Amino acid sequence: MKINLQSALKNEFGFDSFRPGQETILKNLFSHKNTLAILPTGGGKTLLYQMYGALSRQRVMIVSPLISLMQDQVSRLQYLGSKRVVALTSALDYQEKAVILKHLNQYQFIYASPEMLANEQVLRQIKSLNIGLFVIDEAHCISEWGPDFRPDYLNLGKVRHALGNPLTLMMTATATKTVRQDIIDHLDLESTSVEQIVLPVNRPNIFLSAKILSGQQEKDQTLIDLVRQLHGPGIIYFSSKSKAEQAAVTLSSQTDRRVMAYHGGMDTQQRFHIQQQFMDGNLDIVCATSAFGMGIDKDDIRFVIHYHLPANIQSYVQEIGRCGRDQQPGLAILLYEPNDRYLQMNLIDNTIPDRNLLQYLYQHPKALTNEDQFRVIKYYYDHGYSFDQATAVFDHSRERRLSELTAMVRYVYHDGCRRDELLKYFDETLSEDQKNSAFCCDHDIDFWGHWQNFNDKYLKQSEKSVEYRPQSWHEVIDKLFLLKN
């Protein structure tokens, strides 16, 4: 099929040019080549399968990790004019799910989580369809979450085979060489049969900074001082749901900013409401756990603050990449106090079962349930892993997570260029003439001595962040569903 992609981009989607990597990836897909695409946050990954589906008229199956992300993408596709789009999520009640499954052949774009695809009834219905493109969105989750958190990610290779080995597109914003190989292996693909399009993770318009604080009290006060003065919308990330809520209350009362919390413990409607408030400019700051951000297409976020230490550099780069998507200056701040490392170590211990618990459950398999705490162990037991094999899997996961945490702490204490330290993790380098020493990291300038000046100079609010409210219903819709890409 001969397609003029540039012409189609303009006529079908209204864009004058592709972003880096997009056209090459689409050419691969139209040449029926399985493709692994590593595009930076804001690089326009969603357009790839939207455009392929629109031009090929084939059915597209998208595996996505979060309900909020699926709902957001379904809304965007509907806004762009596609009515044949649906998300199979746990938010559906029994009757809604039954109706959708009965009429599944009427949809062109079908979203589902790995857990939903593990449901025999759902997979049976999808198998009856002709899937033209199988998409794994946020594909790094296969490697990062599969072994010890969401094991159904490890079944996606079998799902792909069950669907007749359709053309496959794997997408994420960050992935090391090891993670890329993990993705390919778990989808039962051969490296030689996968085209890899890997763009640099460097975002030169994001200034990198970190501050080591003496304790919790100093950290809290620093956060209040920053929020009082930093310009523009921002996201503050926490490892704790309760701390996110507590901080939102504190910042709302002690600053003039409009702040709300967002985390996975909230119900779907509440999360969606907060997300739309933020997108529409009716909220200035969201205090969030990592549940917030995937798929958020708000281009004028000016800063991302990490109140707690992220689990790894890969997650950190993904999360700070949510600011400055309009290519204007953005600011990444990591606040650290020594106890933060132990919080992450506790999270690792609580996530990965120890040998004694594993041994007890293997000896008493009736105690295994689908509850969160035992779900992962049950997966390995049901799939025929011996006790020693399961122990080896979890030991490896623990070692990997501790190694990733060590790299994250090393970044905080690094006394050289922070950008170099981040890029080294992804086997990337920058030459000196590729750097802008005036806008790189707090190693090059005295950021913490003059951060207010930096704020006034670089973090300028876009017009839509100031006191602007759309008037016509067209503008209201555009504000609610910002056109992706």
Side-chain angles (χ1 to χ4, degrees):
M1 176 170 34
K2 186 70 174 175
I3 295 175
N4 185 326
L5 291 174
Q6 287 285 352
S7 175
L9 180 71
K10 179 67 175 177
N11 296 335
E12 299 282 338
F13 294 89
F15 301 120
D16 294 323
S17 61
F18 284 104
R19 291 185 181 180
Q22 286 181 324
E23 188 173 14
T24 304
I25 293 163
L26 282 164
K27 285 179 177 177
N28 282 343
L29 295 179
F30 281 107
S31 299
H32 209 76
K33 295 177 180 177
N34 297 318
T35 303
L36 173 56
I38 313 297
L39 302 181
T41 303
K45 293 181 283 295
T46 307
L47 177 73
L48 299 172
Y49 63 80
Q50 288 178 350
M51 193 166 179
Y52 182 85
L55 300 181
S56 70
R57 309 293 181 191
Q58 295 193 62
R59 185 173 282 108
V60 181
M61 174 87 234
I62 306 106
V63 181
S64 186
L66 298 174
I67 292 175
S68 58
L69 177 55
M70 287 187 260
Q71 289 172 329
D72 180 61
Q73 291 172 334
V74 166
S75 298
R76 292 176 191 282
L77 274 173
Q78 289 173 337
Y79 171 62
L80 290 170
S82 175
K83 305 302 180 190
R84 299 170 58 205
V85 53
V86 71
L88 287 163
T89 75
S90 58
L92 298 171
D93 62 32
Y94 177 81
Q95 189 172 1
E96 289 172 326
K97 181 179 166 186
V99 171
I100 289 172
L101 288 177
K102 184 177 179 180
H103 300 96
L104 205 57
N105 63 343
Q106 296 179 13
Y107 297 101
Q108 183 187 11
F109 294 92
I110 303 170
Y111 290 84
S113 67
E115 290 79 12
M116 190 61 72
L117 293 176
N119 181 296
E120 290 184 13
Q121 181 192 13
V122 172
L123 187 58
R124 186 166 58 247
Q125 286 297 106
I126 296 174
K127 281 168 64 177
S128 69
L129 307 174
N130 181 23
I131 302 296
L133 179 65
F134 187 53
V135 180
I136 315 295
D137 196 8
E138 306 294 351
H140 66 281
C141 294
I142 292 175
S143 177
E144 189 172 330
W145 288 354
D148 53 38
F149 178 45
R150 293 178 66 177
D152 290 303
Y153 262 107
L154 305 180
N155 273 342
L156 291 180
K158 292 179 180 176
V159 170
R160 183 177 169 275
H161 291 320
L163 299 181
N165 299 316
L167 177 66
T168 301
L169 171 63
M170 302 143 278
M171 308 186 301
T172 186
T174 58
T176 62
K177 287 180 181 177
T178 301
V179 170
R180 296 201 299 269
Q181 191 58 51
D182 264 357
I183 293 168
I184 293 169
D185 290 345
H186 282 302
L187 286 170
D188 290 338
L189 290 162
E190 295 292 332
S191 296
T192 53
S193 71
V194 176
E195 294 289 323
Q196 296 194 38
I197 309 299
V198 182
L199 267 61
V201 300
N202 182 41
R203 292 281 302 281
N205 66 311
I206 299 177
F207 186 91
L208 305 173
S209 61
K211 188 173 181 65
I212 300 170
L213 302 155
S214 60
Q216 191 80 38
Q217 190 173 352
E218 186 186 7
K219 186 195 274 193
D220 288 340
Q221 188 56 54
T222 301
L223 181 65
I224 293 169
D225 293 340
L226 288 167
V227 169
R228 276 179 179 154
Q229 297 185 58
L230 288 178
H231 300 317
I235 303 174
I236 307 171
Y237 280 107
F238 298 82
S239 297
S240 158
K241 297 174 187 176
S242 59
K243 187 61 185 178
E245 291 182 343
Q246 179 188 331
V249 172
T250 300
L251 295 173
S252 294
S253 64
Q254 298 200 28
T255 75
D256 62 357
R257 310 305 298 277
R258 299 166 296 179
V259 187
M260 289 193 75
Y262 180 108
H263 56 72
M266 296 174 167
D267 64 52
T268 304
Q269 187 174 1
Q270 192 177 8
R271 292 201 305 268
F272 185 74
H273 175 69
I274 293 168
Q275 180 176 314
Q276 291 307 321
Q277 289 274 81
F278 186 59
M279 294 287 290
D280 196 33
N282 295 320
L283 272 181
D284 300 314
I285 295 169
V286 177
C287 293
T289 60
S290 58
F292 184 79
M294 286 186 184
I296 296 296
D297 191 18
K298 184 172 174 64
D299 60 2
D300 63 339
I301 296 171
R302 295 273 64 88
F303 62 90
V304 172
I305 300 174
H306 280 78
Y307 181 90
H308 287 133
L309 186 71
N312 54 60
I313 286 177
Q314 195 164 295
S315 298
Y316 184 62
V317 171
Q318 288 245 2
E319 289 165 0
I320 65 173
R322 282 153 199 159
C323 73
R325 289 172 66 158
D326 54 5
Q327 305 310 311
Q328 297 303 306
L331 172 63
I333 293 177
L334 200 167
L335 302 178
Y336 178 82
E337 61 107 347
N339 285 324
D340 288 349
R341 178 171 188 168
Y342 300 110
L343 173 62
Q344 278 296 345
M345 291 175 72
N346 285 336
L347 288 173
I348 292 171
D349 287 339
N350 291 333
T351 301
I352 300 174
D354 63 30
R355 185 182 181 89
N356 291 336
L357 175 62
L358 199 60
Q359 188 171 33
Y360 174 83
L361 290 171
Y362 260 72
Q363 290 172 350
H364 304 86
K366 288 184 179 179
L368 287 169
T369 66
N370 285 319
E371 293 176 19
D372 283 354
Q373 57 178 335
F374 298 148
R375 187 181 71 233
V376 179
I377 300 173
K378 188 176 188 301
Y379 172 88
Y380 289 109
Y381 183 85
D382 290 348
H383 283 75
Y385 281 66
S386 69
F387 168 73
D388 288 337
Q389 288 173 322
T391 300
V393 168
F394 290 122
D395 284 349
H396 177 73
S397 289
R398 183 177 287 101
E399 290 169 9
R400 174 178 61 86
R401 289 186 180 274
L402 288 172
S403 174
E404 291 172 344
L405 178 59
T406 299
M408 193 70 245
V409 173
R410 191 162 55 240
Y411 167 81
V412 174
Y413 282 95
H414 188 60
D415 60 0
C417 175
R418 294 196 187 279
R419 197 170 302 274
D420 284 346
E421 187 70 7
L422 282 188
L423 296 181
K424 181 175 72 174
Y425 189 78
F426 299 97
D427 298 314
E428 294 182 18
T429 57
L430 284 179
S431 62
E432 287 305 315
D433 59 350
Q434 290 176 304
K435 292 182 187 176
N436 175 8
S437 59
F439 191 93
C440 179
C441 70
D442 54 7
H443 172 71
D444 297 315
I445 65 170
D446 180 17
F447 171 78
W448 288 105
H450 304 90
W451 67 265
Q452 294 93 339
N453 296 338
F454 178 98
N455 177 45
D456 291 335
K457 181 177 181 179
Y458 291 110
L459 302 190
K460 298 171 183 177
Q461 300 185 61
S462 65
E463 290 181 9
K464 62 184 173 186
S465 293
V466 230
E467 291 301 316
Y468 167 76
R469 292 295 178 268
Q471 299 300 313
S472 73
W473 70 268
H474 290 286
E475 291 176 306
V476 172
I477 294 296
D478 281 342
K479 285 285 281 181
L480 284 173
F481 302 113
L482 294 175
L483 280 175
K484 206 163 180 66
N485 309 297

